[in-house]
Amino acid sequence: MTAELAPRFHTVAIDHRGWGQSEAPGRGYALADMAADAEGVIAALNLRRYVLVGHSMGGKVAQLMASRRPVGLAGLVLVAPSPPSPMALPVSAREMMTGAYDSRATVEATLDNVLTAKPLPGELREQVIEDSLKGAPAARLAWPRATSQEDITEQVGNIEVPTIVIAGDLDNVDTPDVLRAELLSRVPGATLQVLAGTGHLSMLESPSEVAALIRGFCERLIL
């Protein structure tokens, strides 16, 4: 998806700690820790004007970052974001989530039954499975057991930059209705765009549509 934005915008993608190619400490997976990591990248690259884009857990991290009103932040894009309130799931269901990435079989089941509403192309599907299996144990456990339960509802009211929320109408993780009630109601001026036939992995399921929304949003900020 970033390739569709690259001709017009400079994009920087990072892996949160414990995932991808980032280091995997044994602790430090709170929202504030991940926000500090991203803020460090922004400082190291000396970005003077930028738009934050966050998906799912990363969307909640981006909300916390934006609530601090950092210098240079021009806008906020939240793609299928986790809302600022604690995840509304019982402990038993959250414990089941801790095993979602334990094996190829559990990753495929999660991918097919929870995360997507439309099949991913073969090569992309394999990449998602491979990346999921590489997640560090501490990172896999932190989100369902602790980080998803953090409450930043008071902080997000401080967000003052233009904000767009992109949701899939078939997202079973963070539904449009939940986002309207828990996020849109708290972030001043935030707008919602709902993608038809799309699940939680909207940037993979509907990449051109997501890229077009982000591109249009950023172009309006420039004008």
Side-chain angles (χ1 to χ4, degrees):
M1 189 191 75
T2 55
E4 296 190 43
L5 298 172
R8 181 71 175 85
F9 301 101
H10 174 60
T11 61
V12 177
I14 66 170
D15 295 327
H16 281 299
R17 57 174 58 197
W19 297 97
Q21 298 182 52
S22 291
E23 294 182 359
R27 62 180 65 185
Y29 291 89
L31 291 177
D33 297 313
M34 291 184 282
D37 291 340
E39 289 162 353
V41 172
I42 291 169
L45 296 176
N46 195 30
L47 301 181
R48 300 297 182 88
R49 181 174 168 82
Y50 59 93
V51 172
L52 275 178
V53 181
H55 169 257
S56 195
M57 176 186 75
K60 193 167 185 175
V61 174
Q63 292 166 53
L64 178 61
M65 293 173 66
S67 75
R68 297 170 175 173
R69 299 179 176 177
V71 174
L73 180 63
L76 178 64
V77 179
L78 302 173
V79 183
S82 180
S85 51
M87 182 184 288
L89 284 177
V91 174
S92 58
R94 287 191 283 114
E95 278 301 307
M96 288 182 63
M97 290 172 59
T98 64
Y101 304 124
D102 283 350
S103 67
R104 183 181 179 89
T106 58
V107 172
E108 289 188 317
T110 301
L111 194 60
D112 295 335
N113 301 318
V114 180
L115 297 180
T116 61
K118 61 178 73 171
L120 301 179
E123 186 176 338
L124 182 57
R125 178 184 172 86
E126 285 302 314
Q127 180 184 335
V128 172
I129 294 171
E130 181 180 341
D131 289 345
S132 298
L133 291 172
K134 286 181 179 178
R140 295 182 194 175
L141 297 176
W143 175 252
R145 288 184 176 175
T147 318
S148 67
Q149 298 305 293
E150 291 190 48
D151 187 346
I152 58 170
T153 51
E154 291 189 11
Q155 290 95 314
V156 297
N158 295 323
I159 296 174
E160 60 181 2
V161 295
T163 301
I164 181 175
V165 180
I166 302 172
D169 66 339
L170 300 180
D171 190 335
N172 293 317
V173 180
D174 298 303
T175 69
D177 285 344
V178 167
L179 294 177
R180 288 188 185 97
E182 300 295 332
L183 177 58
L184 274 294
S185 65
R186 294 186 167 98
V187 177
T191 61
L192 176 67
Q193 294 288 334
V194 179
L195 301 175
T198 302
H200 190 62
L201 297 186
S202 44
M203 68 286 181
L204 302 181
E205 297 176 72
S206 303
S208 295
E209 292 89 339
V210 173
L213 288 171
I214 295 174
R215 184 167 52 248
F217 175 76
C218 293
E219 288 174 345
R220 289 192 294 274
L221 293 178
I222 295 173
L223 297 176

